[in-house]
Coordinates of all heavy atoms in Angstrom, one line a residue:
M1 N 71.1 123.7 98.5 CA 71.8 123.4 97.3 C 72.9 122.4 97.6 O 73.7 122.7 98.4 CB 72.3 124.6 96.6 CG 73.1 124.3 95.3 SD 73.5 125.8 94.4 CE 74.9 126.4 95.3
T2 N 72.9 121.3 96.9 CA 73.9 120.3 97.1 C 75.2 120.7 96.4 O 75.2 121.1 95.3 CB 73.5 118.9 96.6 OG1 72.3 118.5 97.3 CG2 74.5 117.9 96.8
I3 N 76.3 120.5 97.1 CA 77.7 120.7 96.6 C 78.3 119.3 96.4 O 78.2 118.5 97.4 CB 78.5 121.6 97.5 CG1 77.9 123.0 97.6 CG2 80.0 121.6 97.1 CD1 78.0 123.8 96.3
A4 N 79.0 119.0 95.4 CA 79.8 117.8 95.2 C 81.3 118.0 95.5 O 81.8 119.1 95.1 CB 79.6 117.2 93.8
R5 N 81.9 117.1 96.2 CA 83.3 117.1 96.3 C 83.8 115.9 95.5 O 83.5 114.8 95.9 CB 83.7 117.0 97.8 CG 85.2 117.0 98.0 CD 85.9 118.3 97.6 NE 87.4 118.1 97.8 CZ 88.3 119.0 97.5 NH1 87.9 120.2 97.0 NH2 89.5 118.8 97.7
L6 N 84.5 116.1 94.5 CA 85.0 115.1 93.6 C 86.4 114.8 93.8 O 87.2 115.7 93.9 CB 84.8 115.5 92.1 CG 85.3 114.6 91.0 CD1 84.4 113.4 90.8 CD2 85.6 115.3 89.8
Y7 N 86.8 113.5 93.9 CA 88.2 113.1 94.0 C 88.5 112.1 92.9 O 87.7 111.1 92.7 CB 88.4 112.4 95.4 CG 88.3 113.3 96.6 CD1 87.1 113.3 97.3 CD2 89.3 114.1 97.0 CE1 86.9 114.1 98.4 CE2 89.1 114.9 98.2 CZ 88.0 114.9 98.8 OH 87.8 115.6 99.9
R8 N 89.6 112.3 92.2 CA 90.1 111.3 91.3 C 91.3 110.8 91.8 O 92.2 111.5 92.3 CB 90.3 112.0 89.9 CG 89.0 112.4 89.2 CD 89.3 113.0 87.8 NE 90.0 114.2 87.9 CZ 89.5 115.4 88.0 NH1 88.2 115.6 88.0 NH2 90.3 116.5 88.1
M9 N 91.5 109.4 91.8 CA 92.6 108.8 92.4 C 93.0 107.6 91.7 O 92.2 106.9 91.1 CB 92.4 108.6 93.9 CG 91.3 107.6 94.2 SD 90.7 107.7 95.9 CE 89.7 109.1 95.9
N10 N 94.3 107.2 91.9 CA 94.8 106.0 91.4 C 95.4 105.1 92.5 O 96.0 105.6 93.4 CB 96.0 106.3 90.4 CG 95.4 107.1 89.2 OD1 94.6 106.6 88.4 ND2 95.9 108.3 89.0
A11 N 95.2 103.8 92.3 CA 95.7 102.8 93.2 C 97.2 102.6 93.0 O 97.7 102.7 91.9 CB 95.0 101.5 93.1
A12 N 97.9 102.4 94.1 CA 99.3 101.9 94.0 C 99.3 100.6 93.3 O 98.4 99.8 93.3 CB 99.9 101.8 95.4
E13 N 100.4 100.3 92.6 CA 100.5 99.0 91.9 C 100.3 97.8 92.8 O 100.8 97.7 93.9 CB 101.9 98.9 91.2 CG 102.0 97.8 90.3 CD 103.3 97.8 89.5 OE1 103.9 98.9 89.3 OE2 103.7 96.7 89.1
G14 N 99.4 97.0 92.3 CA 99.0 95.8 93.0 C 98.0 96.0 94.1 O 97.6 95.1 94.8
K15 N 97.5 97.3 94.3 CA 96.6 97.6 95.4 C 95.2 98.1 94.9 O 94.5 98.7 95.6 CB 97.2 98.7 96.3 CG 98.4 98.2 97.0 CD 98.8 99.0 98.2 CE 100.0 98.4 98.9 NZ 100.3 99.0 100.2
E16 N 94.9 97.7 93.7 CA 93.7 98.1 93.1 C 92.4 97.6 93.9 O 91.5 98.4 94.2 CB 93.6 97.6 91.6 CG 94.6 98.1 90.7 CD 95.9 97.4 90.7 OE1 96.1 96.5 91.5 OE2 96.8 97.8 89.9
D17 N 92.4 96.3 94.2 CA 91.3 95.8 95.0 C 91.3 96.3 96.4 O 90.2 96.6 97.0 CB 91.3 94.3 95.0 CG 91.0 93.7 93.6 OD1 90.4 94.4 92.8 OD2 91.4 92.5 93.4
A18 N 92.5 96.5 97.0 CA 92.5 97.1 98.4 C 91.9 98.5 98.4 O 91.2 98.9 99.3 CB 94.0 97.1 98.9
L19 N 92.2 99.3 97.3 CA 91.7 100.7 97.3 C 90.2 100.6 97.1 O 89.4 101.4 97.7 CB 92.4 101.5 96.2 CG 91.9 102.9 96.1 CD1 92.0 103.7 97.5 CD2 92.7 103.7 95.0
A20 N 89.7 99.7 96.2 CA 88.3 99.6 96.0 C 87.6 99.3 97.3 O 86.5 99.9 97.6 CB 88.0 98.5 95.0
E21 N 88.1 98.3 98.1 CA 87.5 98.0 99.4 C 87.6 99.1 100.4 O 86.6 99.4 101.1 CB 88.1 96.7 99.9 CG 87.8 95.5 99.2 CD 88.6 94.3 99.7 OE1 89.1 94.3 100.8 OE2 88.7 93.3 98.9
A22 N 88.7 99.8 100.4 CA 88.9 100.9 101.3 C 88.0 102.1 101.0 O 87.4 102.7 101.9 CB 90.4 101.4 101.3
L23 N 87.8 102.4 99.7 CA 86.9 103.4 99.3 C 85.4 103.1 99.7 O 84.7 104.0 100.1 CB 87.0 103.7 97.8 CG 88.3 104.4 97.4 CD1 88.4 104.5 95.9 CD2 88.4 105.8 98.0
Q24 N 85.0 101.9 99.5 CA 83.7 101.5 99.9 C 83.5 101.6 101.4 O 82.4 102.1 101.8 CB 83.4 100.0 99.4 CG 83.3 99.9 97.9 CD 83.2 98.5 97.4 OE1 82.1 97.9 97.6 NE2 84.3 98.0 96.9
A25 N 84.4 101.3 102.2 CA 84.3 101.4 103.6 C 84.3 102.9 104.0 O 83.6 103.3 104.9 CB 85.5 100.7 104.3
A26 N 85.2 103.7 103.3 CA 85.2 105.1 103.6 C 83.9 105.8 103.3 O 83.5 106.7 104.0 CB 86.4 105.8 102.8
A27 N 83.3 105.4 102.2 CA 82.0 105.9 101.8 C 81.0 105.8 102.9 O 80.2 106.7 103.2 CB 81.5 105.3 100.5
Q28 N 81.0 104.6 103.6 CA 80.0 104.4 104.7 C 80.3 105.3 105.9 O 79.4 105.8 106.5 CB 80.1 102.9 105.2 CG 79.8 101.9 104.1 CD 78.4 102.0 103.6 OE1 77.4 102.2 104.4 NE2 78.2 102.0 102.3
I29 N 81.6 105.6 106.1 CA 82.0 106.5 107.2 C 81.6 108.0 106.9 O 80.9 108.7 107.6 CB 83.5 106.4 107.5 CG1 83.8 105.0 108.0 CG2 83.9 107.5 108.4 CD1 85.3 104.8 108.0
V30 N 81.9 108.4 105.7 CA 81.7 109.8 105.2 C 80.2 110.1 105.2 O 79.7 111.1 105.5 CB 82.3 110.1 103.9 CG1 81.9 111.4 103.3 CG2 83.9 110.0 104.0
A31 N 79.4 109.1 104.7 CA 77.9 109.3 104.6 C 77.3 109.6 105.9 O 76.2 110.2 105.9 CB 77.3 108.0 104.0
K32 N 77.9 109.2 107.0 CA 77.3 109.5 108.4 C 77.7 110.8 109.0 O 77.1 111.2 110.0 CB 77.7 108.4 109.3 CG 77.2 107.0 108.9 CD 77.8 105.9 109.8 CE 77.3 104.6 109.3 NZ 78.0 103.5 110.1
A33 N 78.5 111.6 108.3 CA 79.0 112.9 108.8 C 77.8 113.9 108.7 O 77.1 113.9 107.7 CB 80.2 113.4 108.1
P34 N 77.7 114.8 109.6 CA 76.7 115.9 109.5 C 76.9 116.7 108.2 O 78.0 117.0 107.8 CB 77.0 116.8 110.7 CG 77.7 115.9 111.7 CD 78.5 115.0 110.8
G35 N 75.8 116.9 107.5 CA 75.8 117.6 106.3 C 76.0 116.7 105.0 O 75.8 117.2 103.9
S36 N 76.4 115.5 105.2 CA 76.6 114.6 104.1 C 75.2 114.2 103.5 O 74.2 114.0 104.2 CB 77.3 113.3 104.5 OG 77.3 112.4 103.4
E37 N 75.2 114.2 102.2 CA 74.0 113.9 101.4 C 74.2 112.6 100.6 O 73.4 112.4 99.7 CB 73.5 115.1 100.6 CG 73.1 116.2 101.5 CD 72.6 117.4 100.7 OE1 72.6 117.4 99.4 OE2 72.1 118.4 101.3
G38 N 75.3 111.9 100.9 CA 75.6 110.7 100.1 C 76.9 110.7 99.5 O 77.6 111.7 99.4
V39 N 77.3 109.5 99.1 CA 78.6 109.3 98.5 C 78.5 108.3 97.3 O 77.7 107.3 97.4 CB 79.6 108.7 99.5 CG1 81.0 108.4 98.9 CG2 79.7 109.6 100.7
E40 N 79.2 108.5 96.3 CA 79.3 107.6 95.1 C 80.7 107.1 94.9 O 81.7 108.0 95.0 CB 78.8 108.2 93.9 CG 77.3 108.6 93.9 CD 76.9 109.3 92.7 OE1 76.9 108.7 91.6 OE2 76.6 110.5 92.7
V41 N 80.9 105.9 94.7 CA 82.3 105.3 94.4 C 82.2 104.7 93.0 O 81.4 103.8 92.8 CB 82.7 104.3 95.4 CG1 84.1 103.8 95.1 CG2 82.6 104.8 96.8
L42 N 83.1 105.1 92.1 CA 83.1 104.6 90.8 C 84.5 104.1 90.4 O 85.5 104.7 90.9 CB 82.7 105.7 89.8 CG 81.3 106.2 89.9 CD1 81.4 107.6 90.7 CD2 80.7 106.5 88.6
R43 N 84.6 103.0 89.6 CA 85.9 102.5 89.2 C 85.9 102.5 87.7 O 84.9 102.1 87.0 CB 85.9 101.0 89.7 CG 87.3 100.3 89.4 CD 87.2 99.0 90.1 NE 88.6 98.5 90.3 CZ 88.9 97.5 91.1 NH1 87.9 96.8 91.6 NH2 90.1 97.1 91.2
D44 N 87.0 102.9 87.1 CA 87.2 102.9 85.6 C 87.1 101.5 85.1 O 87.9 100.6 85.5 CB 88.5 103.6 85.3 CG 88.6 104.0 83.9 OD1 88.3 103.1 83.0 OD2 89.1 105.1 83.6
V45 N 86.3 101.2 84.1 CA 86.1 99.9 83.5 C 87.4 99.5 82.8 O 87.8 98.4 82.8 CB 84.9 99.9 82.5 CG1 84.9 98.6 81.7 CG2 83.6 100.1 83.3
E46 N 88.0 100.5 82.1 CA 89.2 100.2 81.3 C 90.5 100.3 82.0 O 91.6 99.8 81.6 CB 89.2 101.1 80.0 CG 88.1 100.8 79.1 CD 88.1 101.7 77.9 OE1 89.0 102.4 77.7 OE2 87.1 101.6 77.1
A47 N 90.5 100.9 83.2 CA 91.7 101.1 84.0 C 91.3 100.8 85.5 O 91.0 101.8 86.2 CB 92.3 102.5 83.8
P48 N 91.3 99.6 85.9 CA 90.7 99.2 87.2 C 91.5 99.8 88.4 O 91.0 99.6 89.5 CB 90.7 97.7 87.2 CG 91.6 97.3 86.1 CD 91.7 98.4 85.1
G49 N 92.5 100.5 88.2 CA 93.2 101.1 89.3 C 92.9 102.6 89.4 O 93.4 103.3 90.3
R50 N 91.9 103.0 88.6 CA 91.5 104.5 88.6 C 90.1 104.6 89.2 O 89.2 103.8 88.8 CB 91.6 105.0 87.2 CG 91.5 106.5 87.1 CD 91.7 107.1 85.8 NE 91.7 106.1 84.7 CZ 92.2 106.3 83.5 NH1 92.8 107.5 83.3 NH2 92.1 105.4 82.6
F51 N 89.9 105.5 90.1 CA 88.7 105.6 90.8 C 88.2 107.1 90.9 O 89.0 108.0 90.8 CB 88.8 105.1 92.3 CG 89.1 103.7 92.4 CD1 90.4 103.2 92.3 CD2 88.1 102.7 92.5 CE1 90.7 101.9 92.4 CE2 88.4 101.4 92.6 CZ 89.7 100.9 92.6
V52 N 86.9 107.2 91.0 CA 86.3 108.5 91.3 C 85.4 108.4 92.6 O 84.7 107.4 92.7 CB 85.4 109.0 90.1 CG1 84.7 110.3 90.5 CG2 86.3 109.2 88.9
F53 N 85.6 109.3 93.5 CA 84.9 109.3 94.8 C 84.2 110.6 94.8 O 84.8 111.6 94.8 CB 85.9 109.2 95.9 CG 85.4 108.9 97.3 CD1 85.1 107.5 97.6 CD2 85.1 109.9 98.2 CE1 84.6 107.3 98.9 CE2 84.6 109.6 99.4 CZ 84.4 108.3 99.8
I54 N 82.8 110.5 94.9 CA 82.0 111.8 94.9 C 81.3 111.8 96.2 O 80.4 111.0 96.5 CB 81.0 111.8 93.7 CG1 81.8 111.6 92.4 CG2 80.2 113.1 93.7 CD1 80.9 111.3 91.2
E55 N 81.5 112.9 96.9 CA 80.8 113.2 98.2 C 79.8 114.3 97.9 O 80.1 115.2 97.2 CB 81.8 113.6 99.3 CG 82.9 112.7 99.6 CD 83.9 113.3 100.5 OE1 83.9 114.5 100.8 OE2 84.8 112.5 100.9
K56 N 78.6 114.1 98.4 CA 77.6 115.2 98.2 C 77.4 115.8 99.6 O 77.1 115.1 100.6 CB 76.3 114.5 97.7 CG 76.4 113.9 96.4 CD 75.2 113.2 95.9 CE 75.4 112.4 94.7 NZ 74.2 111.6 94.3
W57 N 77.4 117.1 99.6 CA 77.3 117.9 100.9 C 76.3 119.0 100.8 O 76.1 119.6 99.7 CB 78.7 118.5 101.2 CG 79.7 117.5 101.5 CD1 80.6 116.9 100.6 CD2 79.9 116.8 102.7 NE1 81.4 116.0 101.2 CE2 81.0 115.9 102.5 CE3 79.4 116.9 104.0 CZ2 81.5 115.0 103.5 CZ3 79.8 116.0 105.0 CH2 80.9 115.2 104.8
A58 N 75.7 119.3 101.9 CA 74.7 120.4 102.0 C 75.5 121.7 101.7 O 74.9 122.6 101.0 CB 74.0 120.5 103.3
T59 N 76.7 121.9 102.2 CA 77.5 123.1 102.0 C 79.0 122.7 102.0 O 79.4 121.6 102.5 CB 77.3 124.1 103.1 OG1 77.8 123.6 104.3 CG2 75.8 124.5 103.3
I60 N 79.8 123.6 101.4 CA 81.2 123.4 101.4 C 81.7 123.4 102.9 O 82.6 122.6 103.2 CB 81.9 124.5 100.6 CG1 81.7 124.3 99.1 CG2 83.5 124.5 100.9 CD1 82.2 125.4 98.2
E61 N 81.1 124.2 103.7 CA 81.5 124.3 105.1 C 81.3 122.9 105.8 O 82.1 122.5 106.7 CB 80.7 125.4 105.9 CG 81.1 126.8 105.4 CD 80.6 127.2 104.0 OE1 79.6 126.6 103.6 OE2 81.2 128.1 103.4
D62 N 80.2 122.2 105.5 CA 80.0 120.9 106.0 C 81.1 119.9 105.6 O 81.6 119.2 106.5 CB 78.6 120.3 105.5 CG 77.4 121.0 106.2 OD1 77.5 121.4 107.4 OD2 76.4 121.0 105.5
H63 N 81.5 120.0 104.4 CA 82.7 119.2 104.0 C 83.9 119.5 104.7 O 84.6 118.6 105.2 CB 82.9 119.3 102.5 CG 84.2 118.6 102.0 ND1 85.3 119.3 101.8 CD2 84.4 117.3 101.8 CE1 86.3 118.4 101.5 NE2 85.8 117.2 101.5
K64 N 84.2 120.8 104.9 CA 85.4 121.2 105.6 C 85.4 120.8 107.0 O 86.4 120.6 107.7 CB 85.6 122.7 105.4 CG 86.0 123.0 104.0 CD 86.3 124.5 103.8 CE 86.8 124.8 102.4 NZ 87.1 126.2 102.2
A65 N 84.2 120.7 107.6 CA 84.1 120.3 109.0 C 84.1 118.8 109.2 O 84.3 118.3 110.4 CB 82.8 120.9 109.6
A66 N 83.9 118.1 108.2 CA 83.8 116.6 108.3 C 84.9 115.9 109.0 O 84.7 115.0 109.8 CB 83.5 116.0 106.9
P67 N 86.2 116.3 108.7 CA 87.2 115.5 109.4 C 87.1 115.5 110.9 O 87.5 114.5 111.6 CB 88.5 116.3 109.0 CG 88.2 116.9 107.7 CD 86.7 117.2 107.8
G68 N 86.5 116.5 111.5 CA 86.3 116.5 113.0 C 85.2 115.5 113.4 O 85.1 115.2 114.6
H69 N 84.4 114.9 112.5 CA 83.4 114.0 112.8 C 83.7 112.6 112.4 O 83.0 111.7 112.6 CB 82.1 114.4 112.1 CG 81.6 115.8 112.5 ND1 81.0 116.0 113.7 CD2 81.6 116.9 111.9 CE1 80.7 117.3 113.8 NE2 81.1 117.9 112.7
L70 N 84.9 112.4 111.7 CA 85.3 111.1 111.3 C 86.1 110.4 112.3 O 86.9 111.0 113.1 CB 86.1 111.2 110.0 CG 85.4 111.9 108.8 CD1 86.3 111.9 107.6 CD2 84.1 111.2 108.5
P71 N 86.0 109.0 112.4 CA 86.8 108.3 113.4 C 88.3 108.4 113.1 O 88.7 108.4 111.9 CB 86.3 106.9 113.3 CG 85.6 106.8 112.0 CD 85.2 108.1 111.6
K72 N 89.1 108.5 114.1 CA 90.6 108.6 113.9 C 91.0 107.4 113.2 O 90.7 106.3 113.5 CB 91.3 108.7 115.3 CG 92.7 108.9 115.2 CD 93.4 109.2 116.5 CE 94.9 109.2 116.4 NZ 95.4 110.6 116.5
G73 N 91.8 107.6 112.1 CA 92.3 106.5 111.3 C 91.3 106.0 110.3 O 91.6 105.0 109.6
G74 N 90.1 106.6 110.2 CA 89.1 106.0 109.4 C 89.4 106.0 107.9 O 88.8 105.2 107.1
L75 N 90.3 106.8 107.4 CA 90.7 106.9 106.0 C 92.1 106.3 105.8 O 92.6 106.4 104.7 CB 90.6 108.3 105.5 CG 89.2 108.9 105.6 CD1 89.2 110.3 105.1 CD2 88.1 108.1 104.9
D76 N 92.7 105.7 106.8 CA 94.1 105.3 106.7 C 94.3 104.2 105.5 O 95.2 104.2 104.8 CB 94.6 104.7 108.0 CG 94.9 105.7 109.0 OD1 94.9 107.0 108.7 OD2 95.2 105.4 110.2
A77 N 93.3 103.3 105.4 CA 93.4 102.3 104.4 C 93.3 102.8 103.0 O 94.0 102.3 102.1 CB 92.2 101.2 104.6
V78 N 92.6 103.9 102.8 CA 92.5 104.6 101.5 C 93.9 105.2 101.2 O 94.4 105.0 100.1 CB 91.4 105.7 101.5 CG1 91.5 106.5 100.2 CG2 90.0 105.1 101.7
M79 N 94.4 105.9 102.2 CA 95.7 106.6 101.9 C 96.8 105.5 101.6 O 97.7 105.8 100.8 CB 96.1 107.4 103.1 CG 95.1 108.5 103.5 SD 94.6 109.6 102.1 CE 96.0 110.6 102.1
A80 N 96.8 104.4 102.3 CA 97.8 103.4 102.1 C 97.7 102.7 100.8 O 98.7 102.2 100.3 CB 97.7 102.3 103.3
A81 N 96.6 102.7 100.1 CA 96.4 102.0 98.9 C 96.5 102.9 97.6 O 96.6 102.5 96.5 CB 95.0 101.3 98.8
M82 N 96.6 104.2 97.9 CA 96.7 105.2 96.7 C 98.2 105.3 96.2 O 99.1 105.2 97.0 CB 96.2 106.6 97.1 CG 94.7 106.6 97.3 SD 94.0 108.3 97.4 CE 95.0 109.1 98.6
A83 N 98.3 105.6 95.0 CA 99.6 105.8 94.4 C 100.2 107.2 94.7 O 101.3 107.5 94.6 CB 99.5 105.7 92.8
G84 N 99.3 108.1 95.1 CA 99.7 109.5 95.4 C 98.4 110.2 95.8 O 97.4 109.7 95.9
P85 N 98.6 111.5 96.1 CA 97.4 112.3 96.6 C 96.3 112.4 95.5 O 96.6 112.4 94.3 CB 98.0 113.7 96.9 CG 99.3 113.7 96.2 CD 99.8 112.3 96.0
P86 N 95.1 112.4 95.9 CA 94.0 112.5 94.9 C 93.9 113.9 94.4 O 94.4 114.9 95.0 CB 92.7 112.2 95.8 CG 93.1 112.7 97.2 CD 94.6 112.4 97.3
D87 N 93.3 114.0 93.2 CA 93.0 115.3 92.6 C 91.6 115.6 93.0 O 90.7 114.8 92.8 CB 93.1 115.2 91.1 CG 92.7 116.4 90.3 OD1 92.9 117.5 90.9 OD2 92.1 116.3 89.3
G88 N 91.3 116.7 93.6 CA 90.0 117.0 94.1 C 89.5 118.4 93.7 O 90.2 119.3 93.3
A89 N 88.1 118.5 93.7 CA 87.5 119.8 93.3 C 86.1 119.8 93.9 O 85.5 118.8 94.1 CB 87.4 119.9 91.8
Y90 N 85.6 121.1 94.1 CA 84.2 121.3 94.5 C 83.5 121.6 93.2 O 83.9 122.3 92.4 CB 84.1 122.5 95.4 CG 84.6 122.2 96.8 CD1 85.8 122.8 97.3 CD2 83.8 121.4 97.7 CE1 86.2 122.6 98.6 CE2 84.3 121.2 99.0 CZ 85.5 121.8 99.4 OH 85.9 121.6 100.7
L91 N 82.3 121.0 93.1 CA 81.4 121.1 91.9 C 80.0 121.5 92.3 O 79.5 121.0 93.3 CB 81.4 119.9 91.1 CG 82.8 119.3 90.6 CD1 82.6 117.9 90.0 CD2 83.4 120.2 89.6
D92 N 79.4 122.4 91.5 CA 78.0 122.7 91.7 C 77.2 121.8 90.7 O 77.6 121.6 89.6 CB 77.7 124.2 91.3 CG 78.1 125.2 92.3 OD1 77.9 124.9 93.5 OD2 78.5 126.3 91.9
Y93 N 76.0 121.4 91.2 CA 75.1 120.6 90.3 C 74.3 121.6 89.5 O 73.7 122.5 90.0 CB 74.2 119.8 91.1 CG 74.8 118.5 91.7 CD1 75.4 118.5 92.9 CD2 74.8 117.4 90.9 CE1 76.0 117.3 93.4 CE2 75.4 116.2 91.4 CZ 76.0 116.2 92.7 OH 76.6 115.1 93.2
L94 N 74.4 121.5 88.2 CA 73.6 122.4 87.3 C 72.3 121.7 86.9 O 71.3 122.3 86.7 CB 74.4 122.7 86.1 CG 75.7 123.5 86.3 CD1 76.4 123.8 85.0 CD2 75.4 124.8 87.0
L95 N 72.4 120.4 86.8 CA 71.2 119.6 86.4 C 71.3 118.2 86.8 O 72.4 117.6 86.6 CB 71.1 119.7 84.8 CG 69.9 118.9 84.2 CD1 68.6 119.4 84.6 CD2 70.1 118.8 82.7
T96 N 70.3 117.7 87.4 CA 70.2 116.2 87.7 C 68.9 115.8 87.2 O 67.8 116.3 87.6 CB 70.3 116.0 89.2 OG1 71.6 116.5 89.7 CG2 70.3 114.5 89.6
V97 N 68.9 114.8 86.4 CA 67.6 114.3 85.8 C 67.4 112.8 86.1 O 68.3 112.1 86.4 CB 67.5 114.5 84.3 CG1 67.3 116.0 84.0 CG2 68.6 113.9 83.6

């Protein structure tokens, strides 16, 4: 059963494009971690500094173990471009069509 880890985040002022690029690079890194089943990066059409980052994992434990498999500093560009910490949650898929 796939588990989603959802992050909602906002770019620091003037760093909207930097965050977009950093999230796309981060998605490539996270997708290679053991247990990853893919990543989606979405940008709000009406508020281009607002993003949603969805990681798909085989288990919550795989997600929690992922930092040990990521390259050191691999998410630094994301952290540098955000206005503050992301809001995150684990979600179960009830239906995918």
Side-chain angles (χ1 to χ4, degrees):
M1 176 170 77
T2 299
I3 296 293
R5 177 67 181 180
L6 173 80
Y7 296 96
R8 290 182 298 268
M9 61 197 79
N10 294 299
E13 189 169 333
K15 296 196 176 192
E16 296 85 355
D17 290 337
L19 184 54
E21 291 175 16
L23 289 172
Q24 290 174 73
Q28 299 300 317
I29 294 169
V30 171
K32 295 175 185 172
S36 174
E37 296 181 355
V39 180
E40 296 178 65
V41 181
L42 297 99
R43 185 178 204 166
D44 191 316
V45 173
E46 295 181 7
R50 190 171 18 199
F51 296 86
V52 175
F53 192 85
I54 305 169
E55 303 171 352
K56 299 174 186 176
W57 295 94
T59 67
I60 291 174
E61 291 74 23
D62 287 330
H63 172 259
K64 290 182 177 182
H69 300 285
L70 303 180
K72 186 173 174 102
L75 301 179
D76 287 353
V78 172
M79 302 306 284
M82 287 192 313
D87 176 35
Y90 288 106
L91 303 171
D92 281 326
Y93 282 92
L94 298 180
L95 175 66
T96 302
V97 291

